[in-house]
Amino acid sequence: MAATTADGSKVVGGGEKSNVDEESKMITLFSSDGERFEVTQEAAAMSQTIHHMMEDGCVDDEGVHLPNVGSSILAMVIEYCNRHVASPDEKEDIRSFDAGFVNVEHHTLFDIIRAANYLDVKELMDLCCQTVADSIKSKSVEEIRELFGIVNDFTPEEEAEIRKENQWAFE
Amino acid sequence: MPDRRGTNLFEHLPEEIIDKILIQLPSRDVGRCRAVSAAWRSITSTPEFMLEHRRRQPSLPIINGNGRPASLVVIRDTGSNQKLWPFVPGFEHRSKSDLRASCDGLLVIRHLTRYYICNPVTREHAFLPQLQVRQGFFNNIIGFYRHRPTGEYRVLWVWKSGDLSKSSLHALTVGSEEPRHVAVTMIGVPSPSMEHKLLMEICPLPSSPPPVHHRGSLHWFPYGGCPILGDVGDDIIVFDTEAESFRRMRGPTQLCSNRKLFDMKGALAFWGTPAPGYREIDVWVMQDYEAKIWDFKYRIDPSTVEVSRQIYLASSKRKRKATLDSTVRWFSDMVVLNERELLIKFNNKLVFRYDIGGEFLGMVNLGKRQYCMLLTQHRLQESIVPIPPHWRQGEDEEPPFSSTGHV
């Protein structure tokens, strides 16, 4: 992947310095807080949202504004896309990258989920949702509520009824 | 400290995303999630959610330890085997109940003289009064399936007179009052007396393996049965559950005696010896159902399995309590565990986990000692879909299965 030297804008990913290649044109993304990110079109196309915009010719020279995604999260999503586009076949490497990638605080993980949903990056969504599911497994109801800050909106009678209906899950 | 501590992370998350997360949970976790909040309860209780959840569950083999120590056990590839509800462990209980059929997470079980449909995950059950065991004749359940056009679940069974001179085929739509007689129709079978012979061919024994359910048809391969038309080639008996007619189908011609039809993750497969006297077992899979083309899949050689086992045991760092009691001599039976792993039975006793690449992965033992286990060929795909209320007619006075465990 070629990285063009741009004037002061962030170039995320790639790292190889080579001549500008027709096939790895760059696209500029703007986060909600105005930070600028240069990404290859290939990596950007992992986002179906951006991919459709590129196909429909909605991307002008300025770039794509993403008012729903903050800079720190966008940087992470771009890192994910760059990595997956770079070596899609090296399964072991990708697996350990993914494991490290999702090893973040829950708040961040959910922000990534929201961003991946808005940007429609299927693989990232799947990875993050799987991670959240894994953190739910084998936990008690109280632990789950505590972990995610969920308020119990059942009356004691309602909750008792539900536990009784699903008794098989509580043994 | 981040000032968002304590906020509900799931708040404002679109329902489709919560759905996407919860649907990946195992059955018991889904049940527990229903008590977390009203939103989680409603998301996990829709028919669409529960059906999709079931669809994602792996189909796992069930083996029968005959009560020593456990009876029916579900084997998981994670290594944690699980006793199947409602079967009670213990040798003295082994003949009280019997697994007769399974489909979509539902089991048809005989308990003493009665038949029930059970969901081993949710522990729900429904009595089937129409199938009661009575003196003087036999009921052999030969199929349990979902009839695709109507979505009904149906039980198919052969009624046999005590002297085995008469038989007839019956079907029951679960939830309806009366079973109905099914006339046996098969192209090329002109006379009604052939009906009896065909039915006897399908289920010579009460313990005959279940059919392989594929593309809306049930497939039996009468193990050791004699083909009624004398043509050794077309040996698989097929029942189209929609047309309710029978036909025959050819198995792979490259296998000779000692072969068996089994379910390879939804496809028809055969294991068998490639030539008389050979100790290897070849596995063939139906590649193209329309064109009836079988394809060679892999070969299992007991001697290489034994070598692999020796290597595994020699290099295993795990503490081994049991000593190697016998070498692998002859192949007895097999079932598929997942895409890469098989459970293979050798010497009519030892059950191994084996990777199709040729690696021995370990023994399957239900208890501390090696007892005979039966690979039942039944499979469980966990389901949290509730049993429809109208199935529970003819309730018996005292439900025999307590939901907290066993009978």
Side-chain angles (χ1 to χ4, degrees):
Chain A
M1 253 185 302
T4 50
T5 49
D7 46 317
S9 55
K10 282 200 174 68
V11 179
V12 183
E16 286 174 0
K17 285 233 162 66
S18 62
N19 295 329
V20 174
D21 191 350
E22 275 300 327
E23 268 136 8
S24 37
K25 276 170 41 185
M26 303 301 279
I27 178 177
T28 309
L29 305 177
F30 291 93
S31 66
S32 59
D33 44 348
E35 271 200 50
R36 197 181 147 136
F37 296 84
E38 295 275 329
V39 205
T40 62
Q41 281 197 1
E42 203 189 346
M46 275 192 81
S47 154
Q48 288 299 306
T49 309
I50 297 179
H51 175 69
H52 289 312
M53 288 170 79
M54 293 195 297
E55 287 213 313
D56 296 344
C58 296
V59 179
D60 56 20
D61 285 335
E62 203 191 279
V64 182
H65 288 264
L66 302 168
N68 288 5
V69 190
S71 54
S72 59
I73 298 298
L74 184 56
M76 294 182 77
V77 175
I78 289 173
E79 186 193 349
Y80 177 90
C81 294
N82 279 333
R83 188 65 173 79
H84 275 247
V85 153
S87 49
D89 297 324
E90 286 158 34
K91 296 234 167 75
E92 273 310 311
D93 289 346
I94 295 246
R95 237 197 298 268
S96 65
F97 169 80
D98 284 353
F101 186 82
V102 291
N103 190 13
V104 292
E105 265 200 28
H106 266 103
H107 292 129
T108 314
L109 191 60
F110 275 77
D111 285 340
I112 298 175
I113 289 179
R114 273 179 251 266
N117 186 43
Y118 169 68
L119 293 168
D120 196 0
V121 185
K122 186 180 178 303
E123 301 86 339
L124 182 55
M125 272 294 280
D126 288 347
L127 172 66
C128 293
C129 288
Q130 175 74 70
T131 307
V132 177
D134 288 344
S135 70
I136 295 176
K137 280 180 197 172
S138 303
K139 290 207 166 60
S140 72
V141 176
E142 293 76 17
E143 284 168 339
I144 296 172
R145 289 189 191 130
E146 164 98 16
L147 185 62
F148 298 109
I150 299 174
V151 171
N152 178 7
D153 51 0
F154 292 125
T155 66
E157 295 79 31
E158 283 171 338
E159 185 171 340
E161 178 67 38
I162 294 170
R163 283 177 183 257
K164 184 155 168 261
E165 267 171 25
N166 296 285
Q167 198 178 359
W168 50 272
F170 288 95
E171 277 146 35
Chain B
M1 276 293 188
D3 57 2
R4 288 185 295 168
R5 187 166 53 124
T7 41
N8 181 355
L9 292 171
F10 276 85
E11 208 170 338
H12 307 309
L13 206 60
E15 242 185 48
E16 311 90 65
I17 299 185
I18 304 181
D19 191 288
K20 203 176 159 73
I21 293 171
L22 299 182
I23 205 144
Q24 300 190 59
L25 295 172
S27 311
R28 288 166 59 93
D29 293 280
V30 173
R32 273 203 300 281
C33 281
R34 288 171 171 168
V36 167
S37 73
W40 281 35
R41 182 197 193 184
S42 80
I43 289 172
T44 55
S45 306
T46 65
E48 294 76 25
F49 180 92
M50 295 190 285
L51 286 170
E52 175 62 20
H53 181 265
R54 179 178 76 200
R55 201 190 61 79
R56 286 164 176 250
Q57 301 309 301
S59 152
L60 300 168
I62 299 173
I63 67 178
N64 191 348
N66 236 357
R68 291 182 297 199
S71 286
L72 294 176
V73 177
V74 179
I75 306 298
R76 294 175 191 281
D77 52 14
T78 53
S80 62
N81 305 330
Q82 185 184 8
K83 294 195 190 69
L84 192 65
W85 182 90
F87 295 93
V88 192
F91 193 63
E92 65 280 17
H93 298 294
R94 75 192 182 287
S95 46
K96 277 194 195 153
S97 334
D98 209 341
L99 175 61
R100 302 257 45 112
S102 72
C103 174
D104 287 353
L106 298 167
L107 309 177
V108 177
I109 294 177
R110 175 195 64 82
H111 177 68
L112 301 176
T113 59
R114 293 170 153 208
Y115 286 88
Y116 295 85
I117 290 200
C118 296
N119 181 330
V121 173
T122 62
R123 311 232 164 133
E124 294 181 296
H125 54 277
F127 174 44
L128 294 173
Q130 303 88 345
L131 282 164
Q132 193 120 355
V133 173
R134 278 183 268 267
Q135 281 282 9
F137 58 89
F138 305 105
N139 278 341
N140 279 23
I141 294 178
I142 60 169
F144 174 49
Y145 56 91
R146 188 176 159 272
H147 180 248
R148 274 196 287 202
T150 58
E152 293 167 354
Y153 282 88
R154 296 183 178 178
V155 182
L156 195 67
W157 75 93
V158 173
W159 170 94
K160 290 181 195 167
S161 62
D163 59 1
L164 300 182
S165 62
K166 288 198 281 287
S167 64
S168 56
L169 186 64
H170 301 268
L172 171 72
T173 293
V174 185
S176 71
E177 290 271 328
E178 288 300 315
R180 56 189 171 83
H181 174 251
V182 178
V184 173
T185 59
M186 179 152 109
I187 299 165
V189 174
S191 67
S193 75
M194 291 303 211
E195 174 173 326
H196 174 65
K197 284 194 180 158
L198 178 68
L199 295 178
M200 294 302 283
E201 194 185 338
I202 292 176
C203 58
L205 302 165
S207 58
S208 301
V212 178
H213 194 166
H214 182 69
R215 292 203 183 196
S217 290
L218 306 178
H219 303 73
W220 297 270
F221 175 69
Y223 189 57
C226 3
I228 59 170
L229 292 175
D231 175 359
V232 198
D234 286 346
D235 33 22
I236 304 174
I237 300 173
V238 186
F239 178 72
D240 181 328
T241 61
E242 291 176 33
E244 295 204 336
S245 62
F246 286 88
R247 66 179 191 278
R248 301 200 85 118
M249 207 169 96
R250 189 170 280 262
T253 50
Q254 295 82 353
L255 298 174
C256 66
S257 59
N258 185 35
R259 52 199 179 126
K260 193 166 175 181
L261 176 69
F262 69 105
D263 184 346
M264 178 165 283
K265 293 302 223 177
L268 296 177
F270 255 98
W271 60 250
T273 45
Y278 270 49
R279 289 185 359 141
E280 293 96 345
I281 293 290
D282 285 354
V283 175
W284 287 71
V285 181
M286 171 138 274
Q287 199 65 2
D288 186 337
Y289 193 79
E290 305 298 327
K292 308 284 185 281
I293 296 176
W294 293 85
D295 214 21
F296 174 78
K297 189 100 170 160
Y298 42 76
R299 170 167 287 192
I300 296 163
D301 181 349
S303 53
T304 60
V305 176
E306 177 60 22
V307 168
S308 172
R309 178 164 93 127
Q310 297 286 1
I311 294 173
Y312 170 91
L313 290 169
S315 65
S316 170
K317 296 186 180 71
R318 277 163 270 183
K319 219 169 44 150
R320 291 187 325 271
K321 293 186 215 154
T323 52
L324 200 61
D325 68 340
S326 55
T327 54
V328 168
R329 282 193 292 278
W330 72 89
F331 173 97
S332 306
D333 203 353
M334 68 185 261
V335 290
V336 171
L337 183 55
N338 58 41
E339 285 73 32
R340 287 223 42 106
E341 287 180 47
L342 309 169
L343 297 182
I344 310 185
K345 188 169 166 186
F346 286 105
N347 304 357
N348 217 24
K349 184 178 180 184
L350 311 170
V351 176
F352 295 164
R353 285 175 59 151
Y354 190 70
D355 175 281
I356 55 177
E359 225 186 295
F360 172 83
L361 299 170
M363 298 274 295
V364 176
N365 273 327
L366 302 184
K368 295 203 185 84
R369 292 165 64 182
Q370 286 165 18
Y371 285 110
C372 274
M373 287 171 274
L374 185 69
L375 304 183
T376 66
Q377 302 289 342
H378 291 293
R379 306 187 73 90
L380 177 72
Q381 184 182 29
E382 289 199 350
S383 166
I384 56 176
V385 177
I387 283 186
H390 73 279
W391 284 14
R392 293 206 185 89
Q393 19 112 326
E395 263 322 296
D396 42 7
E397 324 68 44
E398 242 179 59
F401 311 124
S402 92
S403 54
T404 55
H406 343 287
V407 178

